[in-house]
């Protein structure tokens, strides 16, 4: 049973670039729409962001392509959190894009990445971005794309660079061009294909930031993947299966940062509280 004194500080900290962040952060994707696809309530979404800060969250993950018919995650963050506190790290990602109706566009060319960076700057109301992750899809080499972002970093538009949805060879390609502070890949109790990359990041002191750590195969659809062992361990600790999944994720290494997303203030508090859950060796063995 977790206590009522919920704080992101209980999860511990890791250095992300030149900032120290709590290992439980917040993913903004769920802010823009409800589970049924209808637009979220603006005041509720802003309230969730305020509450995240009250609970000690200082790492927020977002993207310009996180939007619904009426909501933009970046603009909600701008409204709720600007002027931005010095301890807050807002990480975004570029590469994918969507047209105004929400349809996915082809992966941006290297010469289009500046436009995506500037769109994030405009929506967030910033003169620089703390962390920009290159999210790739279908590239054998990311060198040209990552090189374009490295030029924007040198120009002062970006402080730190990261990678998303990559293979181990992509990380090595990027490191030949510029420092990498984080890698975002799908990873969780239900899906561990990035285990080797997680270990490699640990060896290099790079943050590994798993997404969809709670959900199952539905991913964007939300919800919690079902697993009998997680349910039984949750019952034993008096917590939820989602909290067990988040705690398991954090147990994978001190460099692992969780970014669960929600538009529900109660779920937010539960997610943050999961940072205080310590699983036993027996629990971890049961989860495999």
């Amino acid at each position: 049973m977790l206590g009522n004194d919920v704080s992101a500080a209980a999860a511990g900290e890791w250095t992300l670039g030149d900032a120290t962040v709590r290992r439980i952060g917040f993913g903004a994707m769920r802010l823009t729409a409800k589970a049924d696809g209808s637009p979220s309530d603006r005041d509720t979404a802003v309230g969730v962001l305020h509450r995240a800060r009250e609970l000690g969250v200082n790492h927020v993950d977002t993207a310009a392509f996180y939007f619904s018919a009426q909501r933009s995650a970046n603009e909600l963050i701008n409204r709720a959190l600007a002027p931005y506190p010095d301890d807050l790290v807002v990480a975004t990602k570029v590469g994918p894009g969507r047209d105004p109706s929400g349809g996915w566009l082809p992966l941006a060319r290297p010469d289009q990445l500046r436009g995506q960076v500037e769109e994030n700057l405009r929506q967030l109301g910033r003169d620089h971005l703390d962390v920009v992750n290159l999210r790739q899809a279908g590239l054998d080499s990311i060198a040209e794309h990552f090189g374009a972002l490295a030029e924007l970093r040198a120009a002062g538009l970006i402080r730190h660079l990261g990678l998303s949805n990559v293979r181990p060879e992509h990380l090595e390609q990027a490191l030949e061009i510029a420092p990498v502070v984080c890698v975002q890949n799908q990873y969780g109790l239900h899906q561990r294909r990035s285990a080797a990359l997680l270990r490699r990041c640990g060896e290099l002191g790079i943050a590994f930031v798993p997404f969809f750590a709670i959900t199952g195969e539905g991913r964007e659809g939300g919800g919690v993947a079902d697993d009998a062992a997680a349910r039984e361990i949750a019952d034993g600790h008096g917590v939820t299966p989602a909290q067990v999944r988040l705690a398991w994720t954090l147990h994978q290494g001190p460099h692992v940062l969780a970014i669960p997303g929600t538009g529900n203030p109660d779920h937010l508090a539960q997610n943050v509280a999961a940072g205080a859950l310590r699983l036993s060796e027996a629990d971890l063995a049961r989860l495999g």
Side-chain angles (χ1 to χ4, degrees), residues 47-269:
V48 166
L49 287 163
H50 286 159
R51 184 59 177 150
R53 285 294 295 161
E54 291 170 358
L55 295 174
V57 171
N58 64 351
H59 174 211
V60 174
D61 176 77
T62 186
F65 53 82
Y66 288 171
F67 66 86
S68 63
Q70 293 179 297
R71 302 284 178 265
S72 157
N74 279 355
E75 291 175 352
L76 289 167
I77 291 168
N78 188 350
R79 176 176 173 181
L81 303 180
Y84 297 95
D86 291 341
D87 73 320
L88 177 65
V89 173
V90 178
T92 189
K93 47 195 138 326
V94 296
R98 296 165 67 194
D99 63 31
S101 67
W104 288 101
L105 299 169
L107 186 73
R109 301 187 310 267
D111 63 321
Q112 295 175 316
L113 292 177
R114 182 178 185 121
Q116 291 191 342
V117 166
E118 290 179 345
E119 180 68 0
N120 278 279
L121 288 168
R122 183 190 67 77
Q123 292 177 356
L124 290 166
R126 308 287 303 261
D127 60 6
H128 72 275
L129 299 173
D130 298 325
V131 179
V132 173
N133 293 295
L134 172 64
R135 183 173 175 83
Q136 78 85 36
L139 297 177
D140 290 326
S141 173
I142 62 167
E144 192 174 354
H145 285 76
F146 196 74
L149 291 181
E151 291 177 3
L152 298 178
R153 174 177 174 267
L157 296 182
I158 302 170
R159 290 186 64 82
H160 303 290
L161 299 175
L163 300 170
S164 179
N165 194 41
V166 294
R167 301 187 298 274
E169 62 266 29
H170 290 138
L171 175 57
E172 304 306 325
Q173 292 165 6
L175 289 171
E176 293 181 0
I177 297 168
V180 174
V181 302
C182 58
V183 172
Q184 291 188 345
N185 269 31
Q186 183 180 358
Y187 184 81
L189 183 59
H190 63 282
Q191 203 283 79
R192 308 186 197 184
R193 285 195 296 269
S194 293
L197 194 51
L198 182 153
R199 291 191 295 271
R200 179 61 174 153
C201 286
E203 293 168 357
L204 296 171
I206 294 172
F208 185 84
V209 188
F211 55 83
F212 298 140
I214 298 176
T215 58
E217 292 306 313
R219 303 189 304 178
E220 287 88 348
V224 179
D226 188 38
D227 179 85
R231 280 188 276 110
E232 291 172 8
I233 291 168
D235 289 344
H237 285 277
V239 299
T240 68
Q243 288 175 307
V244 169
R245 287 177 171 274
L246 284 172
W248 180 90
T249 301
L250 292 172
H251 274 76
Q252 302 311 299
H255 65 299
V256 177
L257 309 179
I259 48 169
T262 183
N264 182 307
D266 293 332
H267 291 168
L268 168 69

